[in-house]
């Protein structure tokens, strides 16, 4: 339970932090809330020579709308989303997601940026960000670049972030009128990772048909998964029970989970289907103002 020795750095500015990462290359890691990284180091499942703590850098914790996006600072803690009126009122999918991550103790420390940068397909934010079609801002020695969420998760615990880049912002497009979303998660007990979970975000047209649909699945493969066939199927259709059921079936078929102590493959695929049907129904109801 004691990590291997490492050098601890606590830079006061972003350029300093980026310079430290660039200097130490692959032997350095960003430390944010520490809720995934520290257990990993303590269990000696990983080892680093340098930890670059970004907790003392000002200006990385915020949640605000600006320029057509909800902008979330990379070091924003889950608790901040829970306490944000804007998130609770206008971003129900994000509010649902935050509420089921771990427990209040973890949520007081864990950050949204860390949840995404960890690249764990069992983490909850990735699916929600896929459904929202979010963008990730990464800051490195050459400045900031924007990565569409579909290009961000590159493999199991792998992301498009370079070793000398820091995830500094998450951008969610402000949903148009008649939009709604929901996140539903099956967990063995409160605070557990998902056995299966589904994120749904829809926008309805003036006539009530689904104009845009986003569906992300948690723990459904080596990377967080977009259920593209289900999204395509929904476009232009009314969100009635039969349509949502068919879309959910497509999502369940797309899921490719691994068997583990949380369940067998067939069970997890079935749960992905069931949760997608329910998340879509809730998202449509919310978009209708229910
Ligand atoms: C008891 C417990 C229960 C949990 N349950 C859940 C759950 O139900 N759902 C869920 O989604 N998660 C869960 N987690 C995992 C954890 O909440 C998330 O992975 C967490 O949000 C990670 O954020 P962090 O700030 O703590 O990241 P850290 O642990 O500090 O870092 C995680 C990884 O991301 C990298 N990183 C962090 N921030 C950045 C950044 N800004 N730029 C570049 N790289 C960065 C680090 O180098 C490291 O590789 C649980 C954790 C615990 C301890």
């Amino acid at each position: 339970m004691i990590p291997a020795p490492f050098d601890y750095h606590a830079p006061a500015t972003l350029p300093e932090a980026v310079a430290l990462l660039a200097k130490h290359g692959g032997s350095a890691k960003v430390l944010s809330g520490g809720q995934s990284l520290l257990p990993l180091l303590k269990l000696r499942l990983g080892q680093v020579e340098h930890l670059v703590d970004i907790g003392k850098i000002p200006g990385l914790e915020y949640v605000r709308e600006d320029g057509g996006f909800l902008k979330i600072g990379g070091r924003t803690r889950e608790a901040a989303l829970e306490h944000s009126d804007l998130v609770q009122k206008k971003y129900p999918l994000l509010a649902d997601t935050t509420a089921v991550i771990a427990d209040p103790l973890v949520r007081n420390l864990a950050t949204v940026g860390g949840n995404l940068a960890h690249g764990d397909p069992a983490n909850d934010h990735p699916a929600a960000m896929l459904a929202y079609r979010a963008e990730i801002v990464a800051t490195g020695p050459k400045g900031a670049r924007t990565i569409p969420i579909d290009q961000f998760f590159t493999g199991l615990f792998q992301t498009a972030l370079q070793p000398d880049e820091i995830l500094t912002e998450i951008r969610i497009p402000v949903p148009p009128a008649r939009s709604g979303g929901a996140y539903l998660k099956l967990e063995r007990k409160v605070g557990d990772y998902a056995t299966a979970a589904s994120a749904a975000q829809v926008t309805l047209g003036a006539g009530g048909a689904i104009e845009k649909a986003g569906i992300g699945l948690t723990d459904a493969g080596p990377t967080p998964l977009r259920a593209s066939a289900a999204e395509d199927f929904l476009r232009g259709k009314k969100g009635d029970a039969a349509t949502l059921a068919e879309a959910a079936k497509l999502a369940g078929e797309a899921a490719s989970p691994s068997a583990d102590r949380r369940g067998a493959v067939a069970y997890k695929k079935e749960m992905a289907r069931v949760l997608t049907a329910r998340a879509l129904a809730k998202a449509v109801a919310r978009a209708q103002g229910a």
Side-chain angles (χ1 to χ4, degrees), residues 29-39 54 74-75 78 100-103 106 109-120 122-126 161 165-168 185 187 191-194:
K29 268 218 165 274
V30 171
L31 173 68
S32 192
Q35 296 305 292
S36 283
L37 185 56
L38 294 184
I54 57 171
R75 217 195 162 284
E78 299 295 341
V100 294
I101 289 178
D103 53 50
V106 172
L109 293 166
T111 66
V112 189
N115 195 290
L116 296 165
H118 195 45
D120 184 347
N123 271 3
D124 293 296
H125 276 306
L161 289 173
E165 285 183 321
I166 295 176
L167 190 164
T168 45
K185 170 176 174 177
E187 51 192 357
D192 194 15
Y193 288 90

Side-chain angles (χ1 to χ4, degrees), residues 59-63 71-76 112-113 167-170:
L60 286 177
E61 293 194 52
Y62 53 86
V63 186
K71 296 186 174 174
I72 303 171
R75 217 195 162 284
T76 303
V112 189
L167 190 164
T168 45
E169 191 171 87
I170 301 114

Side-chain angles (χ1 to χ4, degrees), residues 252-283:
E253 283 166 9
S256 175
S258 309
D260 58 18
R261 60 198 163 141
R262 291 186 176 80
V265 169
Y267 173 65
K268 288 186 175 186
K269 281 174 75 76
E270 176 62 2
M271 289 305 101
R273 181 190 71 77
V274 169
L275 293 168
T276 301
R278 292 179 189 173
L280 279 170
K282 205 165 178 182

